Amino acid sequence: MFYLHIGSDVLVSSNDIIAIINFRGKIKEDNKCNLLLLEKIETTGTVIDISNMVTKNTKSLVLAKEKLVYLSPISPVTLYKRSKNLGLLEGLKIK
């Protein structure tokens, strides 16, 4: 088991990570979908904002087990590279 640093002294177990989603989509519809997803999660799960969304610094949504979602200031590309360096992506298909 490995831990992925997702920002602000927060580490998440590789076993708990379900998905890492780009929060800032290039097209308006992507952003709208992300905001709707975030609203839904806020009503059914726990959102942990480590990116200070007030300053609009959120770059990634990290979906984890136990209905946890982390708002990360680190780009999904950087999180992907960290995951790859730790060997967390072996055997996975990336789309």
Side-chain angles (χ1 to χ4, degrees):
M1 173 174 38
F2 296 99
Y3 289 89
L4 180 64
H5 175 256
I6 61 169
S8 299
D9 298 336
V10 177
L11 300 172
V12 179
S13 168
S14 60
N15 293 338
D16 292 343
I17 296 173
I18 297 170
I20 298 172
I21 299 171
N22 184 5
F23 187 69
R24 295 183 181 177
K26 290 185 179 181
I27 46 180
K28 193 174 185 178
E29 289 77 25
D30 286 346
N31 291 331
K32 196 176 202 179
C33 288
N34 289 340
L35 290 173
L36 289 172
L37 174 65
L38 187 57
E39 285 176 16
K40 179 70 174 174
I41 291 167
E42 285 176 332
T43 61
T44 61
T46 302
V47 176
I48 301 170
D49 186 357
I50 59 172
S51 68
N52 191 3
M53 195 164 169
V54 174
T55 61
K56 302 188 188 299
N57 195 26
T58 302
K59 295 179 183 171
S60 302
L61 295 176
V62 179
L63 305 179
K65 291 180 182 176
E66 306 300 327
K67 297 184 180 180
L68 285 174
V69 174
Y70 298 90
L71 304 180
S72 173
I74 299 174
S75 81
V77 172
T78 301
L79 293 175
Y80 168 79
K81 288 177 184 176
R82 288 180 183 178
S83 299
K84 189 175 179 183
N85 289 340
L86 290 173
L88 303 178
L89 303 176
E90 291 180 20
L92 295 178
K93 294 181 180 177
I94 307 299
K95 293 184 179 183

